[in-house]
Amino acid sequence: MRTPRRWWLRRSLWFRITLIATTITLALLFGLAVLAGRALGPLLIQSVDDELTAVLAPATAQVAAGDQPARPSGTEVRVLDTAGGPVDGDPPARLGAEDIRDLKAGLPVRVGDAPTWRWLGSVVTAPDGSQRLVAVGAPMVGFGAAVADGSRWLLLVAVVGGLVAMIATWLGVRAALRPVGRMRRSVRELPPGRRLPMPEADDELRALASDFNALLTRQEEVSERLRRFTGDAAHELRSPVASIRVQAEVAVTNPDPELAQETLTDILDESERLSALLDGLLTLARSDAGELPAAEPVELVTEARGAAGRLPDGSPPVRVSAVVPQAWALATPAEVELVLDNLLRNACRYAETQIVVSLLASRSRVRVVVDDDGPGVAREHRGHVFDRFYRVADDRARTSGGTGLGLAMVAEAVRRRGGRVTVGESPEGGARFQVIWRRHDG
Ligand code: ADP
């Protein structure tokens, strides 16, 4: 069962279309030929009957008037009594008793073969009151041969029609598929960065070329992003690694115990930065690879208080203000922690005196707003702070151990749950980061 299907699916498109079209055309033409062949005999007989009726009508009128009926050539006109005996002076008609009965009943009669005769009859009353059967007959010369030849011709026409249909379909399909061949060649020879030429006709192929070009654009964007990301990651990793190496070299060449302690502290700082950077890269790489743990309801008020508690000692005070006692978001606890920790750490880094975390909920969304009273994010940077490795004040972030990946991770964690994160200005004059998640009716 599987083999014919596999064989069929391995055939080329033009072969399959041609075979289907030819088979259907042949079947239709054969059907029509058989039907027409069957109708041929009755049609020929009908035409003989029409001719005989045209002779019978005047003949019966003449007999009824007491005249001799006219005898047109090619037909035989007989006047018989109701028993079939001749009353026109000619020899007995070649009609049996059954034929006479049928003729009297107005039914047509076929008699003998080679040639077969066709008879029609009608009973009339002669002027002397006697009943007369007027019978009109004609030989059906060549009837059998005409029917057989006609059927043969019709079958031949069907075969020729099928062949013509096959050639026409084959040529048509080949012409229709020629642009596909051209497109395949273009795809094979397409240099990087180029697009397929669009076919002139506004058809399915043009739509395919357009979709293919759109796919190429998307693919190029993805590889360009990946290329930039890899380059940036390598660049970012280079400076802490180089710094660790230089410090280690200094420590080796100057084995001074006091300097060694200072160097080790620096190495520790750089290692922590390196470790944070690698963690961030790993998180983003996992997310890029489509890793998405199942979402669950996470309670944001508790999480916000937890994140505030995790801030280092000496941080500006954090006020958590919740409009609702509980706000459930659809995410994972790890994602919510990542988002809140990063936003609060940043706020803490830039705030002058205080940080406010507000939690709001609507019917379908929950919103976390983090306000600080620091310098804020200038308008021209707001579109970029969520980009990977983007830093506004590079040197300041560097000294405070920033990697430029924090907000990128926040944006990614929120985006993949169908939420969004924005940056604006807080009423205190600093930065306002707003995160919106899908709400769970907890
Ligand atoms: P980093 O880890 O280097 O801080 P982020 O992605 O967290 O990187 O932040 C990107 C940039 O956004 C930072 O360099 C900083 O300039 C700016 N930024 C983030 N949060 C704040 C804030 N609360 N106030 C002002 N600037 C901020």
Side-chain angles (χ1 to χ4, degrees), residues 8-271:
W8 176 249
L9 290 177
R10 277 213 298 266
R11 300 303 104 190
S12 67
L13 201 55
W14 73 257
F15 177 84
R16 280 190 269 165
I17 295 176
T18 307
L19 196 65
I20 291 174
T22 310
T23 311
I24 292 175
T25 315
L26 257 181
L28 275 176
L29 288 177
F30 264 123
L32 284 175
V34 170
L35 281 180
R38 286 211 186 131
L40 212 56
L43 275 175
L44 284 175
I45 290 172
Q46 183 60 48
S47 71
V48 174
D49 283 355
D50 289 347
E51 272 181 36
L52 289 178
T53 309
V55 176
L56 181 64
T60 49
Q62 282 161 343
V63 172
D67 297 334
Q68 276 295 340
R71 294 183 168 186
S73 67
T75 55
E76 198 167 296
V77 180
R78 301 299 308 270
V79 183
L80 310 169
D81 60 24
T82 47
V87 291
D88 51 7
D90 283 347
R94 283 153 301 172
L95 292 163
E98 209 168 305
D99 301 331
I100 296 295
R101 206 173 47 240
D102 285 351
L103 286 175
K104 282 199 293 190
L107 298 173
V109 167
R110 272 174 78 173
V111 185
D113 353 85
T116 299
W117 276 72
R118 181 82 173 169
W119 287 93
L120 284 183
S122 180
V123 177
V124 288
T125 310
D128 60 3
S130 56
Q131 296 283 296
R132 294 285 177 255
L133 171 65
V134 182
V136 183
M140 298 190 349
V141 183
F143 170 78
V147 171
D149 283 354
S151 299
R152 260 200 301 277
W153 269 102
L154 283 168
L155 286 180
L156 191 70
V157 167
V159 172
V160 172
L163 279 176
V164 170
M166 185 179 88
I167 294 169
T169 315
W170 185 67
L171 290 176
V173 174
R174 237 174 55 143
L177 289 182
R178 206 165 290 141
V180 178
R182 274 202 297 274
M183 195 180 278
R184 279 183 60 200
R185 262 196 308 284
S186 307
V187 170
R188 269 201 304 271
E189 294 158 7
L190 200 66
R194 298 293 295 276
R195 296 286 178 272
L196 279 184
M198 296 295 271
E200 253 173 52
D202 193 8
D203 55 8
E204 290 81 355
L205 276 184
R206 193 182 166 88
L208 180 66
S210 153
D211 287 348
F212 185 79
N213 284 344
L215 175 72
L216 281 182
T217 307
R218 282 202 302 277
Q219 286 301 105
E220 275 172 16
E221 277 167 10
V222 168
S223 26
E224 172 57 23
R225 254 209 319 273
L226 190 67
R227 198 186 58 71
R228 224 172 352 173
F229 182 55
T230 318
D232 288 348
H235 181 77
E236 292 294 326
L237 288 171
R238 217 168 49 189
S239 58
V241 171
S243 165
I244 289 172
R245 190 176 153 188
V246 169
Q247 315 247 31
E249 274 171 7
V250 171
V252 169
T253 43
N254 302 301
D256 176 348
E258 247 175 66
L259 201 66
Q261 185 57 36
E262 202 179 305
T263 311
L264 277 177
T265 313
D266 284 352
I267 289 179
L268 186 65
D269 285 351
E270 287 299 341
S271 308

Side-chain angles (χ1 to χ4, degrees), residues 304 319-323 356-360 367-371 432 435:
R319 184 157 58 86
V320 177
S321 120
V323 175
V356 182
V357 181
S358 318
L359 290 125
L360 305 123
R367 194 144 38 110
V368 180
V369 184
V370 180
D371 287 314
R432 160 170 281 191
V435 182

